[in-house]
Amino acid sequence: MSSALGPPSAALRPREDRTTADRVALSAATARGAQTRTEEVRAWLAERRRAHVFEVTRIPFAELRQWRFEEGTGNLVHHSGRFFTVEGMHVVESDGPFGDGPYQEWQQPVVRQPEVGVLGILAKEFDGVLHFLMQAKMEPGNPHLLQLSPTVQATRSNYTRAHRGTDVKLIDHFLRPAPDRVLVDVLQSEQGSWFYRKSNRNMIVETVDDVPQLDDFRWLTLGQIAELLHEDDLVNMNARTVLSCVQYPDTSPGALLSDAQLLSWFTGERSRHDIRVERVPLASVRGWKQGVESIEHEDGRYFKVVAVSVRAGNREVVDWDQPLLEPVGLGVSAFLVRDIEGVPHVLVHARAEGGFLDTVELAPTVQCTPGNHAHLTPEHRPPFLDTVLDARPERIRYEAVHSEEGGRFLNARSRYLLVDADDVPLAPPPGYTWATPGQLRTLTRHGHYLNVEARTLLACVNATAARPRGGQ
């Protein structure tokens, strides 16, 4: 006889797998991989660059073969109707719940890609230590083209072969994984300033099966990846966002705000922002001008829309063209960091962006391209920007230049920093609060709480906290 709660034979499972956190900690503390030494990764990436033909050439819009400006709207669309489009976005934002706060309004081009992609990393134990299968993947917008990427990095159009290319390698591990093999599975946002409501499925799936040894893939521990995160332009954005969702053990005794208080503050921030977003035709976007080779802001700020022709020998399709967004200038994303009663905290910002699914996500203390604000007086520049830019070397706990998503953005690079700020008050300005890395890791179990820049910095926090053993 069955009950309303399930059959009599149903077995309850623990709500938390505490052994996974211990296995994660061991992998983070292990810098000597079972198959690849950390110092060999650079040479391996260089060898994979030489093994394939990689070529990216800027072209005028008129030379795009697979894309066109749609009649009527002027939107930039693929001839198949798949992949993504470049459209216009009209944003009206007020900080008051009834539209009575500070007011901003603007229009801009934006990438709209409604399909959910898969960013998946395969995990497996070697010698009792979790290793993660990383790919040497080419993206047309990446500096140096090839970077360390997830095992699988594919849109639905990719893995359903809308491009008529080859199959996405190892995708089957992520489409229907066994529930007891899933370590991470959560929808996360991408850049809300450049994407319209874009989400990807961030996954880590463990396997006990034999995995083919492929030239473009290597198994690495979390400790090895932590070392590589200190190098510029090496670990790509998609790998960083997935790695930020790994649940490291949290040994801190407490936090300035309890978890309930932090969530209440965040809910209040979401409630007080009134943001109205409308998709508009690209041809009608005010303040932007279209030329032969680019669409750019009339003041030369923010970013451009450009076109490229691509050849890549190790991709599912070896020859294609596409539009890319190209930022103007090097960005800065930074957490201010201070210890509160011996517990590290970071200063997070409840940031509204036009492309977010739900108005506000937690962001770095500073997230901007400084050149876009150089013409402003200090009181009108982003809060704490000068604190970060003027930080003395001894106050910088972490610094590296990382590039953003190379499949949609061209040479989009930012300095990522963790900066000591003991002089910043415990009661920061409205829209900011202190949180521990452990609290942020807990929030990454849920989608649309931390933006992609904050998730990169969380991965960097994890990298600085790792205490590798066994050398490289």
Side-chain angles (χ1 to χ4, degrees), residues 61-79:
F61 291 127
E63 292 184 14
L64 286 168
R65 295 168 291 128
Q66 299 157 332
W67 296 75
R68 61 184 174 85
F69 288 101
E70 186 178 55
E71 187 175 352
T73 66
N75 293 342
L76 198 46
V77 301
H78 192 262
H79 65 69

Side-chain angles (χ1 to χ4, degrees), residues 46 51 81 144 146 152 175 189 201 293 316 327 410 413 423 461:
H144 316 303
L146 211 67
V152 165
L175 295 184
S189 63
R201 190 177 181 184
E293 296 186 348
E316 294 83 18
L410 179 63
R413 305 169 76 233
D423 53 346
V461 169

Side-chain angles (χ1 to χ4, degrees), residues 35-310:
Q35 298 191 355
T36 302
R37 294 170 65 89
T38 310
E39 66 269 21
E40 296 171 347
V41 172
R42 278 279 191 190
W44 167 62
L45 288 172
E47 185 272 326
R48 298 322 298 160
R49 285 190 195 98
R50 293 191 297 269
H52 300 288
V53 174
F54 295 128
E55 184 178 318
V56 179
T57 307
R58 294 173 184 260
I59 59 174
F61 291 127
E63 292 184 14
L64 286 168
R65 295 168 291 128
Q66 299 157 332
W67 296 75
R68 61 184 174 85
F69 288 101
E70 186 178 55
E71 187 175 352
T73 66
N75 293 342
L76 198 46
V77 301
H78 192 262
H79 65 69
S80 68
R82 303 286 294 274
F83 300 104
F84 65 95
T85 58
V86 181
E87 306 180 1
M89 181 171 70
H90 182 190
V91 183
V92 179
E93 176 188 352
S94 171
D95 281 350
F98 306 106
D100 54 354
Y103 173 87
Q104 295 184 78
E105 181 178 8
W106 73 92
Q107 295 187 358
Q108 64 170 89
V110 70
V111 175
R112 179 172 177 263
Q113 187 172 345
E115 61 185 31
V116 174
V118 172
L119 306 179
I121 298 179
L122 199 60
K124 186 176 180 178
E125 277 196 4
F126 295 93
D127 298 336
V129 178
L130 274 176
H131 287 61
F132 299 82
L133 189 59
M134 309 303 291
Q135 180 184 178
K137 189 174 182 65
M138 179 272 189
E139 293 289 352
N142 283 344
H144 316 303
L145 297 179
L146 211 67
Q147 293 190 10
L148 206 62
S149 309
T151 315
V152 165
Q153 177 180 309
T155 66
R156 183 181 296 273
S157 293
N158 291 144
Y159 64 77
T160 58
R161 299 182 62 204
H163 48 38
R164 302 186 185 278
T166 60
D167 291 333
V168 174
K169 294 180 177 67
L170 305 174
I171 184 66
D172 290 344
H173 289 275
F174 303 95
L175 295 184
R176 293 178 184 83
D180 59 347
R181 291 297 175 187
V182 175
L183 304 183
V184 169
D185 193 356
V186 59
L187 288 179
Q188 298 286 12
S189 63
E190 294 206 25
Q191 285 86 352
S193 294
W194 298 334
F195 279 109
Y196 178 81
R197 299 182 178 178
K198 176 72 171 72
S199 296
N200 278 322
R201 190 177 181 184
N202 289 230
M203 305 179 72
I204 300 179
V205 175
E206 187 176 2
T207 184
V208 294
D209 299 331
D210 291 335
V211 177
Q213 293 187 1
L214 303 170
D215 290 338
D216 290 329
F217 296 79
R218 287 290 184 273
W219 293 99
L220 301 172
T221 68
L222 288 175
Q224 290 181 287
I225 298 169
E227 290 295 315
L228 297 170
L229 274 167
H230 287 80
E231 300 193 34
D232 293 349
D233 297 318
L234 197 150
V235 181
N236 85 348
M237 186 202 82
N238 295 311
R240 300 192 307 265
T241 177
V242 176
L243 293 166
S244 75
C245 300
V246 173
Q247 294 302 306
Y248 288 74
D250 184 11
T251 59
S252 60
L256 185 64
L257 299 181
S258 70
D259 289 1
Q261 290 172 324
L262 179 61
L263 284 171
S264 177
W265 171 83
F266 180 57
T267 302
E269 289 296 314
R270 277 189 164 169
S271 300
R272 79 177 178 85
H273 283 271
D274 179 35
I275 301 178
R276 303 173 191 180
V277 181
E278 178 186 9
R279 290 163 50 205
V280 297
L282 181 61
S284 70
V285 171
R286 298 194 301 268
W288 295 73
K289 56 185 180 181
Q290 181 172 332
V292 174
E293 296 186 348
S294 67
I295 300 170
E296 57 187 293
H297 192 266
E298 58 190 14
D299 293 331
R301 300 191 186 104
Y302 311 118
F303 62 88
K304 303 176 183 178
V305 182
V306 298
V308 296
S309 175
V310 185

Side-chain angles (χ1 to χ4, degrees), residues 446-459:
H446 311 281
H448 307 287
Y449 277 80
L450 269 67
N451 77 356
V452 68
E453 292 85 358
R455 296 197 305 275
T456 279
L457 278 173
L458 182 57

